[in-house]
Amino acid sequence: MMQTAKSQQAGSSSSSSTTAATSLLSASETPKPPDEPPVVVSDSDSGMEDNGQNSASEPRSPVSPTPPPSSSSLTTTTITTTTAAADNQLGSTVNKRTPTITTTTATKQKQTGRCFGPMECLEDALQDQWWTTLFDDMYLKTDGDVVEDPSITADEVTVLLNNIDFPPNARVLDLCCGQGRHSLELARRRPDIRVHGVDQSAFLIDLARSRAMADTTDATLATRTAFTVADCRSLPFTFPPASAEEEEEEEEEEEDTRFDVVMVMGNSFGYFEREEADRIVLAEIARVLKPNGTLVLDLTDGAYMKRNFSPRSWEWIDATMFVCRERQLARDGRRLVSREIITSTTDGVVRDQLYAERLYELGEMQALLAHMGFPACRQVDTLTGEASARGQDLGMMEHRMLLAATPTAAVASKTATGVAGDVMTSAVTTPSETAAATAGVPTLALNTRELVVVTGDPSMPSSEKLNQQWNPEDLETVARMQAAVKRLAEKNRTKVTFLNAHQTLLQDLERVAVGAHSTTTTKQQESLPLVLNLCDEGLFNDARLELHVTALFDLKGLPYTGAGSACLAVCYDKGLVNAAAKSMGVPVPAEVQVLAHEDVHASTAATPASSAVQRVVAEVGFPAFIKPARGDGSVGITTGSIVHGEEELVAYINTIRAAANVLCKDVLVQEYLQGEEISIGVVGNPAFDAVSGDVDPASIRQLPVLRVDYSALPSDLPPILAYESKWDPSSPYWTAVSYAPATNLSPSHVAQLYNQCCRLFARLELRDYGRFDLRFSERDNVFKLLEVNPNPGWCWDGKLALMYERAGLPYEQLIADIVNAGANRSNNH
């Protein structure tokens, strides 16, 4: 289990009148949250983890170049939908928006060998994704009096067996299992039970595997337990349908291989910064839990702890080491932030680290569980921690709630893309239902046996997103995409792995490549995993490093979807794109580039305007439209982008130059196009008729041309797709702008536009898919190019997805078409 930190010391001791069951549970455990795994793990054919695979368990160093100072996370889900041979012994298949930067004045502290001195506000110093560095051998020392005490573990398992129904031959998921102490003890006490432990810490998972193998009292313990490094928000389990042959042979419905019990022990729930992430965890638990199964949650009593936590405490770990702790409530009063300074009497300060936990009260937790489909929630007991062997700081284990909850049938009926409130939920279907559920799911190319999906890193700031952080809308977008990919994988029996940890991306890709190349001959290159590159944020979420992601794929010899590094570099520079388009006869707006070092000032009665301003007046005129010369995500495009004279021009150029989140200070000043705005999607790899030079319609998927509808936008806002239209749900640009088919264009005009876009697609070396944005020039009576988007937005409500929707095609078809285009192209080279 994932053990919880001594993040707090209650101010008073507990009453001695607790129940016998309560008295068995004691101690303080260090918080280890249920999430980001640092490695990708896929079980072997036996369904068990290979204890000898160091690559699946060793900590990894950051990828080079050195990333920004932020910790990382890895979302990994490996779905293997093959049958019998790959089935786990445990029953399932283990699969493997305002453009200003806000910063804090406090330094985000990492664990280190020095002390950072006094801290006025612990919350400001809390490191993002702090758990990725906290849980190593030092954790086992600071909390060893509890987490390494066999008698305490045995007592806790006794409480479970006395209060929770574990059916005969039960399948149990020990979520956030840590070093597997509950998993192993439960399997020893109930040999009929099969236990699978999941945790984000590769160090602790490796330790759990080793202990299972080394147990001399139970020769079959390692075969009745399995341990996987994974993200609890995207659990690495799927329940594949039987093959057609098996369905013909089986007269009875297949056994439901989901889990009978999912337990989250040791106060390991509530470590994410936002509650939305906790809801995603509960949705995943509902997905893997049988409809009549039981969820067990062991978590601190938030109401009690808010009243009784001790702001400071200290204790001896052993004869030569002690730890001092500070604790503060977060500003919203809903999380407790703790600091530990670990000191050696011989070596001085060993570590200075911080962590936090959300303090759920009983009623609040019951309401959350009911909202997520667990209305039948009961409090099994109040767990009052007793003194550990050291008898000192009891921390978060002082007063805990042991809850048991069961799902309702409604959970099983939710679709994989359904939304419960503001939270993504995943499908829960029996094996016999899966075939029907995937009946309308598209087919992937025959050579697509394994997908590796690479996305942005939600643990890091993003140069494009609203307030430079991942927001609930971003997380929902990722969840919907993952659900669609999982449905494709189940239908096509494809293994899929999700990677989003950028600090370790190089090592993760190395593991994928080594595993593939070691089993692939020259004649079997089509069997290499295909990378579905959805990382449009760029490496480390830096838009300037988008091409670096594809360079890593090339470096490792992995085929991938979408444009290569050269194309991404060129298309990032809008001036270069327009120059290439103009040379091909594609209409573009009149424009002038103003470099960052150029002086800009308006004319006065005494002095002329600067040369840059004079060029704009002569070659573009007013009104004009200003945007960064290089960039993505509409960063730097606001209502101020429309200028009507020299003074406004100079003012907005200076605004861009001063904006911290606008990475490029060179600007393009273009003629302001005020006619109809459209988007054309090209999915596939265009081929051209040798005689006419026209695109072969069979080589691409013809999609409806999409028109931007500004009619509902307030009249005081200019009709442009400003930054807020992509990132700020509170803005009219988000709520009032809509999209509709461009029905006023004749078929011949559409064909002409498609030919232009496909020629530009080929010239700039786009691959597999792209989007072209154009706007009508009423002065020249022609559509002019606004932007070329290689690897454009793949989100469920983005322009490409809306084109598919207007064509009567599901979101899965968009994903499948991109995958198939990349697979077929790679196979033909």
Side-chain angles (χ1 to χ4, degrees), residues 605-647:
T607 60
S610 62
S611 60
V613 174
Q614 291 183 40
R615 294 201 312 271
V616 171
V617 173
E619 300 176 34
V620 177
F622 296 104
F625 178 77
I626 305 176
K627 62 184 178 182
R630 293 177 296 280
D632 202 2
S634 295
V635 173
I637 299 178
T638 71
T639 57
S641 292
I642 312 302
V643 296
H644 298 84
E646 293 182 9
E647 292 184 357

Side-chain angles (χ1 to χ4, degrees), residues 275-276 279-280 282-283 286 367-374 410-411 414-426 476 480:
E275 185 181 331
E276 289 86 351
R279 299 187 182 193
I280 292 174
L282 292 174
L368 175 58
L369 287 167
H371 179 71
M372 296 307 301
F374 293 89
V411 175
K414 292 177 181 176
T415 66
T417 57
V419 180
D422 55 355
V423 180
M424 284 303 306
T425 61
S426 298
E476 178 182 349
R480 284 180 181 261

Side-chain angles (χ1 to χ4, degrees), residues 200-221:
Q200 64 88 25
S201 170
F203 173 82
L204 296 177
I205 286 293
D206 189 48
L207 183 59
R209 295 176 188 145
S210 300
R211 289 180 176 179
M213 293 291 290
D215 194 301
T216 59
T217 64
D218 190 335
T220 64
L221 184 61

Side-chain angles (χ1 to χ4, degrees), residues 107-120 125 127 326 339-341 349-354:
T107 301
K108 300 292 186 179
Q109 307 295 358
K110 297 184 179 181
Q111 61 184 40
T112 180
R114 67 185 180 90
C115 179
F116 293 101
M119 292 184 185
E120 181 177 349
Q127 180 188 350
E326 291 183 86
R339 177 187 187 187
E340 285 185 343
I341 303 175
V349 172
V350 176
R351 188 170 297 180
D352 190 346
Q353 60 193 19
L354 294 95

Side-chain angles (χ1 to χ4, degrees), residues 223-237:
T223 65
R224 292 183 282 108
T225 57
F227 298 94
T228 301
V229 178
D231 182 346
C232 65
R233 295 170 298 179
S234 185
L235 294 175
F237 303 101

